[in-house]
Amino acid sequence: MMRIPALIAVLAAAFALFYLGARTPTPLAADAPANRFSARRAMQDIAVIGAAAHPVGSTADDAVRDYLVRRLTAMGLEVRIQSDQSWRGYAAGDERYFAGAHVENVIALLPGRDRSAPALALMAHHDTVPGSPGAADDTTGVADAIEIVRAIKAAGQPRRDVMLILTDGEEADLLGAKAFFDDDPAAKHVGFIINLEARGGGGKAQMFETGSDNGEAVGLFLGHALDAQANSLSTFIYKQLPNDTDYTVAKAAGIPGLNFAFIGRQFDYHSPSSTVAALDQGSVQHMGDEVLGPALAIAKVAALPPKAADAVYGNLVGGYVPIYPAWAGWVLLAVCSLLIAATIVRARRAEGLKWLDVFQGIVGGLFIIAVAALGLHLVRHLTGFGFGWMAGRPLLARFAPYEVAIALTGLAAALLALFALAAGEVRFITIVLAAAAALATSAFTGLDTTALIEAGVVAILALILLGRPGGFAGVWAGNLILALVLALVLQVLAPTTAYVVAWPLFAAAVIAHLVAPTQKVLAPIRWIAALALMVIGAGWAGGMIHSLLQALDIPELPAAPVWLAALLLWPLLWPRRGSRGGFAALAAGALAIGAAIGVWLHFTNPWSARHPDASELLLVTDAASGNSWRASPLPPNAWTNDALIADGGRIERLSAPTFRHPLWVVPVAGVPLAGPTITIDRSSDGALIVRATIEAGQTLHLDLTSDAVVTSSAINGRPAPLLGRPGKPSHLVWQGGPLTVSLHPLGHGALDLAYALYTPAWPAAAKPLPRLPRDVMAWDMAGSSVAVGAMRTTW
């Protein structure tokens, strides 16, 4: 029974290791040495820039631009503004989506001794999404970049030019970066880029993306960063995701670089709650500490890091980040193979290891993952919150207890799975429990197809595996073999990710070697070493679980590190005969607490003054009929519901031009709104010319549909593949400045145009909205007036 206290002690120590490693540093004071990064100095800029929302094209964004020009000029930098029109687009099936704006990038230069050498560029964006002051995204990136350039300048004139690229319109689809790398001559002078971003309001900054052939660049980064946080898994995954930052544009242009962001406190991402007061200043400090060293090194080196094969790297403990070439992964796996083989041979001699146990272990690893996946899904489903960014925000408001529920459920799943493997005769009970769990979640919150499928997988594996008790050494050896096979597959298909399995596999193989009864080294020494490896490995797995939990919509992801942690903790987790009652009680208690937290999250109010609910109330007027509505694109909460019906009436659903989903609306007395000035003319060559004029700060949404083939098109004179197949719409969002769309159709036809013009102000003619309570915030375009309408022309 001493193994249960030992297990609890190891888990507590592993948590402490993870927690201490995840804490952000103490911000340095404003009077810190000139060659150090100071978050307090950076906060002086953040306080100004992050005081209010400043989306592209707004007067508030103009004020931020002017502040940056003054600030950088006072630092002695060469400063200019790149003013340009920019658009980006993509196809989604037969429909096409475009965004464009007039952007104003702020470009500053710290001249180096060798003006011909390729420049180092520090890049961040100075605009925000509507409704959010963006103290983190990306005001922190801007302020950190400024403070880093100040520190580089204080260290003496760099060898190469150091450029600041503070882009506009990043939140409108990377428009400022596109304008710079497409149109600005200085783009050809850039040799290396460091991009600073944020997706939340706290946590340590991660170097999560690199250019291609990153071996030398990552090596330089790790050699000069203070408390580096980076892993090659995130770099690989980010390549597969549709997510973009400004570095996406630079990377497409072939410019090497490093991309940094912190992602903790995701509740504040793109939220009105992303205020200066809510920002973790330790995150500001950590990003600066992590970037300043590499930036200073690149500014000083004679030659930029050359291209080299992608490296394998990842955080262990204490800020240590091993790095090695991908081919070295084969050496590590060869060592793991030898350790596993030696352990199996020793176990065969000492305990009469059975090959059937090994088979049970190989399939049993999948069983552990399946049980964990079902348990984790169960807890996520018990919370009652839907999937998607807005639906998941109640969990982000109380992320710590949700994380505790997941951790306890993962522990319970590992204990229960190993209990089933050890006992063997609980096949029927396992199948019944899996089915009951799936049916219970369906009864609790509606049909849960995913849980039913996962329960089916658990049941099938139970039928294959259970029916005879498994042996400790044989089942563990089978799990190690499964991990080795998985690591080999990753080494072949994606070698920079194989370390995720190979590192814990190596540690588990060493632990198996240490605890083998045939070892001649004194047992206390062997067990102390084994327990130390367990603490380090479990702490590392905890960090992985924490990272994977950021993907709220895939609660099963932590099942893999739960299994890897079980590999490491096997000697403590395996319920030997005589102690199974204690392990069953521990598993049941952990599962009950995890489920109880999920139910508590479901039935209690998540909203507070620090984490308010979101409301997006609009005043929508049809320009043709003059009809008006109070409207909400978001499902109404209690306050929104009361505000909608404040003048009487009942809530209805209404489909409005350019809105992708029906709105929740209540009709109100007509409120006159000026729509955009839109004209559609024919040019001498037969082209259709659509012109729209909007005022500063306004946003125009256009949906264009032609029933004729359009051979070519352009936005403000630049070729743009606007319309694809006849009858399929193209969607265009434009912010700031005049808009001209040119279309060249074939033959006769018709063009349908639908529009929505957003003005970020509640109309004076409308009844004022009631004051928001402290636990509700105005989200995104809330408080805007929207003029909607449609036009049709034929030829």
Side-chain angles (χ1 to χ4, degrees):
M1 292 297 293
M2 286 300 294
R3 284 185 304 121
I4 292 180
L7 172 63
I8 295 173
V10 166
L11 292 175
F15 172 77
L17 193 66
F18 155 70
Y19 177 76
L20 292 173
R23 286 198 311 171
T24 56
T26 301
L28 290 188
D31 60 354
N35 64 342
R36 293 292 306 276
F37 180 95
S38 163
R40 301 294 188 196
R41 285 193 286 254
M43 288 302 300
Q44 295 171 10
D45 291 319
I46 292 173
V48 176
I49 302 170
H54 43 280
V56 60
S58 65
T59 54
D61 197 33
D62 291 343
V64 167
R65 172 206 63 201
D66 294 343
Y67 170 80
L68 290 172
V69 170
R70 294 193 303 271
R71 175 78 172 88
L72 298 171
T73 301
M75 287 175 59
L77 305 182
E78 300 173 6
V79 186
R80 62 184 174 85
I81 296 173
Q82 180 202 8
S83 184
D84 202 354
Q85 300 280 341
S86 181
W87 65 262
R88 292 184 82 231
Y90 65 93
D94 290 328
E95 298 187 21
R96 298 184 179 183
Y97 295 83
F98 293 82
H102 176 83
V103 296
E104 299 207 325
N105 298 327
V106 179
I107 314 298
L109 190 70
L110 173 63
R113 297 192 303 275
D114 182 358
R115 303 305 304 276
S116 64
L120 164 67
L122 293 167
M123 185 163 61
H125 66 90
H126 66 73
D127 66 305
T128 67
V129 295
S132 175
D137 181 16
D138 190 26
T139 301
T140 293
V142 170
D144 273 27
I146 293 172
E147 170 67 1
I148 289 166
V149 170
R150 183 211 56 76
I152 292 174
K153 186 172 185 287
Q157 187 178 22
R159 179 187 293 268
R160 66 185 68 253
D161 290 350
V162 177
M163 189 183 301
L164 264 178
I165 308 171
L166 305 180
T167 65
D168 195 8
E170 192 271 354
E171 300 292 5
D173 202 10
L174 320 181
L175 300 180
K178 187 173 189 299
F180 178 80
F181 289 103
D182 281 358
D183 299 336
D184 198 298
K188 296 179 180 179
H189 186 43
V190 176
F192 196 92
I193 285 185
I194 295 177
N195 189 59
L196 308 179
E197 260 288 2
R199 187 186 168 87
K204 285 188 171 181
Q206 295 275 339
M207 194 284 289
F208 66 95
E209 184 187 17
T210 72
S212 60
D213 301 313
N214 65 26
E216 290 292 333
V218 173
L220 184 146
F221 159 64
L222 295 177
H224 294 87
L226 185 61
D227 190 19
Q229 301 291 308
N231 64 79
S232 50
L233 174 66
S234 68
T235 300
F236 175 83
I237 291 176
Y238 199 79
K239 290 179 182 179
Q240 322 307 318
L241 297 176
N243 306 46
D244 290 321
T245 68
D246 275 342
Y247 182 60
T248 302
V249 181
K251 189 175 180 179
I255 301 175
L258 304 171
N259 206 354
F260 294 81
F262 49 83
I263 62 172
R265 301 185 186 179
Q266 281 200 65
F267 182 88
D268 297 325
Y269 177 58
H270 283 181
S271 169
S273 63
S274 182
T275 62
V276 176
L279 178 65
D280 180 0
Q281 295 187 27
S283 301
V284 179
Q285 182 68 47
H286 184 261
M287 179 178 278
D289 284 343
E290 196 174 22
V291 175
L292 174 57
L296 186 59
I298 293 171
K300 288 183 174 181
V301 294
L304 294 173
K307 286 185 177 293
D310 286 350
V312 180
Y313 53 96
N315 281 92
L316 278 178
V317 291
Y320 176 58
V321 185
I323 179 172
Y324 53 83
W327 61 261
W330 291 108
V331 177
L332 177 59
L333 292 179
V335 173
C336 290
S337 301
L338 293 174
L339 285 171
I340 294 170
T343 299
I344 291 175
V345 169
R346 186 179 295 112
R348 288 272 294 172
R349 292 173 179 170
E351 304 176 20
L353 176 145
K354 299 176 181 178
W355 290 114
L356 188 55
D357 289 343
V358 175
F359 168 77
Q360 278 188 294
I362 293 172
V363 183
L366 302 176
F367 180 67
I368 295 170
I369 294 171
V371 172
L374 176 60
L376 298 174
H377 181 88
L378 166 71
V379 170
R380 175 66 171 86
H381 209 68
L382 286 177
T383 66
F385 301 118
F387 293 90
W389 176 250
M390 295 303 296
R393 294 185 77 254
L395 285 180
L396 293 174
R398 296 181 294 181
F399 192 71
Y402 174 64
E403 195 164 17
V404 170
I406 290 292
L408 288 173
T409 304
L411 171 63
L415 286 167
L416 290 171
L418 267 68
F419 181 92
L421 289 168
E425 63 270 13
V426 296
R427 174 193 294 172
F428 178 73
I429 296 175
T430 301
I431 295 172
V432 170
L433 288 176
L439 293 173
T441 59
S442 294
F444 190 58
T445 54
L447 181 64
D448 188 349
T449 306
T450 302
L452 292 172
I453 293 173
E454 290 172 352
V457 172
V458 171
I460 291 170
L461 291 173
L463 286 172
I464 296 172
L465 287 171
L466 307 182
R468 61 176 294 276
F472 163 79
V475 178
W476 191 12
N479 266 268
L480 293 173
I481 291 171
L482 175 65
L484 179 63
V485 171
L486 178 57
L488 287 168
V489 170
L490 291 175
Q491 183 68 29
V492 172
L493 299 180
T496 58
T497 70
Y499 79 94
V500 176
V501 179
W503 289 3
L505 171 62
F506 173 75
V510 172
I511 291 170
H513 187 72
L514 289 170
V515 302
T518 56
Q519 282 282 12
K520 296 181 180 180
V521 180
L522 291 176
I525 297 176
R526 292 189 284 110
W527 272 98
I528 289 172
L531 290 171
L533 275 176
M534 290 180 193
V535 169
I536 294 172
W540 179 87
M544 180 176 290
I545 291 173
H546 176 73
S547 297
L548 293 175
L549 271 184
Q550 309 302 321
L552 288 178
D553 290 350
I554 315 177
E556 294 85 357
L557 284 178
V562 165
W563 166 60
L564 293 173
L567 274 183
L568 295 156
L569 300 174
W570 200 275
L572 300 180
L573 288 174
W574 186 264
R576 299 180 187 274
R577 193 178 300 275
S579 65
R580 289 177 184 170
F583 279 91
L586 181 61
L591 183 61
I593 296 172
I597 293 174
V599 174
W600 173 76
L601 290 169
H602 188 154
F603 288 106
T604 55
N605 180 20
W607 310 121
S608 64
R610 171 63 183 89
H611 298 103
D613 196 1
S615 175
E616 188 178 7
L617 206 58
L618 310 171
L619 195 292
V620 178
T621 294
D622 186 297
S625 67
N627 295 329
S628 297
W629 303 266
R630 288 189 181 187
S632 173
L634 300 178
N637 54 30
W639 181 88
T640 306
N641 187 81
D642 291 342
L644 284 171
I645 63 175
D647 296 327
R650 63 186 183 86
I651 298 176
E652 304 170 351
R653 300 300 299 276
L654 174 73
S655 295
T658 79
F659 285 91
R660 297 189 189 181
H661 305 287
L663 304 169
W664 284 265
V665 303
V666 172
V668 296
V671 179
L673 291 179
T677 302
I678 299 178
T679 61
I680 304 177
D681 302 309
R682 296 293 303 275
S683 65
S684 58
D685 62 355
L688 287 173
I689 309 297
V690 180
R691 293 185 176 89
T693 302
I694 59 176
E695 298 177 2
Q698 292 182 322
T699 301
L700 177 64
H701 291 238
L702 285 181
D703 286 353
L704 301 167
T705 307
S706 170
D707 62 6
V709 173
V710 174
T711 58
S712 64
S713 53
I715 298 175
N716 283 358
R718 291 191 173 190
L722 263 170
L723 290 168
R725 291 177 57 189
K728 299 298 181 180
S730 285
H731 311 275
L732 172 62
V733 179
W734 190 263
Q735 295 170 264
L739 170 66
T740 300
V741 176
S742 305
L743 306 170
H744 288 81
L746 281 177
H748 300 287
L751 176 72
D752 290 298
L753 180 152
Y755 67 82
L757 179 66
Y758 289 75
T759 302
W762 194 256
K767 181 179 179 179
L769 291 172
R771 179 174 296 181
L772 285 167
R774 297 179 70 240
D775 61 349
V776 179
M777 60 185 170
W779 183 267
D780 197 36
M781 302 297 291
S784 295
S785 52
V786 187
V788 300
M791 302 172 64
R792 181 179 176 86
T793 187
T794 60
W795 62 93

